[in-house]
């Protein structure tokens, strides 16, 4: 599974695996033990995780969610030391550690809570998504 195969639905908790498109929307499967299926129409807002980023103070203005989650996995290996019920100061301190340049005016504690809960869902149900991309897949020169 990849980040572009995972979605979130506005107004619904959790994450969903994208199964296939339909004429009027998309079929999703919840990423939990229930594996419930859901048909989402064009009138509901579905966001694919590969298109989500977190605002930063850098020149680019944002960092992709995938990069942040891969960094969290590489550093914490699932033991974040906090959960989505932590207070706002703890949440901001955590994100500042992972992404020092995040924009504190545009990134709210609720956004950090989602990041943490989504990370835990992905770690439990699709851990391969959090592995760092292999650089040797690129057609660059290799040393002999």
């Amino acid at each position: 599974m990849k980040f572009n195969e995972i979605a979130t639905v506005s107004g619904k908790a959790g994450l969903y695996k994208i199964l296939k498109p339909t004429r009027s929307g998309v079929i999703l499967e919840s990423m939990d033990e229930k594996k419930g299926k859901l048909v989402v129409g064009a009138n509901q807002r579905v966001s694919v995780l590969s298109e989500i980023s977190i605002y930063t103070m850098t020149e680019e203005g944002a960092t992709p969610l995938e990069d942040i989650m891969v960094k969290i996995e590489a550093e914490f290996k699932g033991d974040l030391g906090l959960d989505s019920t932590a207070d706002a100061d703890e949440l901001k301190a955590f994100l500042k550690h992972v992404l020092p340049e995040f924009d504190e005016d545009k990134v709210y504690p609720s956004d950090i809570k989602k990041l943490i809960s989504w990370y835990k869902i992905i770690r439990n149900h699709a851990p391969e998504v959090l592995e760092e991309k292999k650089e040797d897949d690129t057609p660059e020169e290799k040393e002999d």
Side-chain angles (χ1 to χ4, degrees), residues 18-144:
I18 299 170
L19 296 181
K20 63 182 176 179
T22 66
R23 286 185 188 148
S24 60
V26 66
I27 299 173
L28 305 174
E29 179 181 76
S30 64
M31 289 180 69
D32 59 15
E33 286 69 35
K34 296 176 189 166
K35 299 283 184 209
K37 299 227 180 357
L38 174 71
V39 178
V40 180
N43 59 343
Q44 286 182 289
R45 187 162 168 218
V46 176
S47 299
V48 180
L49 291 196
S50 62
E51 297 172 358
I52 297 175
S53 353
I54 292 184
Y55 289 112
T56 62
M57 303 296 278
T58 62
E59 193 176 310
E60 294 83 29
T63 299
L65 184 65
E66 181 175 4
D67 295 351
I68 297 164
M69 285 199 180
V70 166
K71 187 174 180 182
I72 291 171
E73 176 62 14
E75 185 163 340
F76 294 97
K77 303 282 187 236
D79 184 16
L80 303 181
L82 79 161
D83 59 23
S84 56
T85 61
D87 69 28
D89 291 336
E90 285 180 294
L91 293 168
K92 284 186 175 186
F94 169 77
L95 190 56
K96 190 149 216 55
H97 176 78
V98 175
L99 187 67
E101 63 276 4
F102 86 95
D103 189 335
E104 293 188 45
D105 294 332
K106 293 182 180 176
V107 180
Y108 301 105
S110 60
D111 299 326
I112 305 170
K113 285 181 182 184
K114 279 186 206 170
L115 169 69
I116 291 168
S117 81
W118 291 352
Y119 168 78
K120 289 181 177 184
I121 291 169
I122 290 172
R123 191 158 204 287
N124 288 333
H125 299 282
E128 69 279 4
V129 172
L130 298 171
E131 293 173 8
E132 290 190 59
K133 296 175 196 147
K134 304 274 187 284
E135 295 300 323
D136 55 328
D137 291 342
T138 57
E140 293 177 17
E141 294 179 34
K142 294 183 179 164
E143 289 184 35
D144 292 323

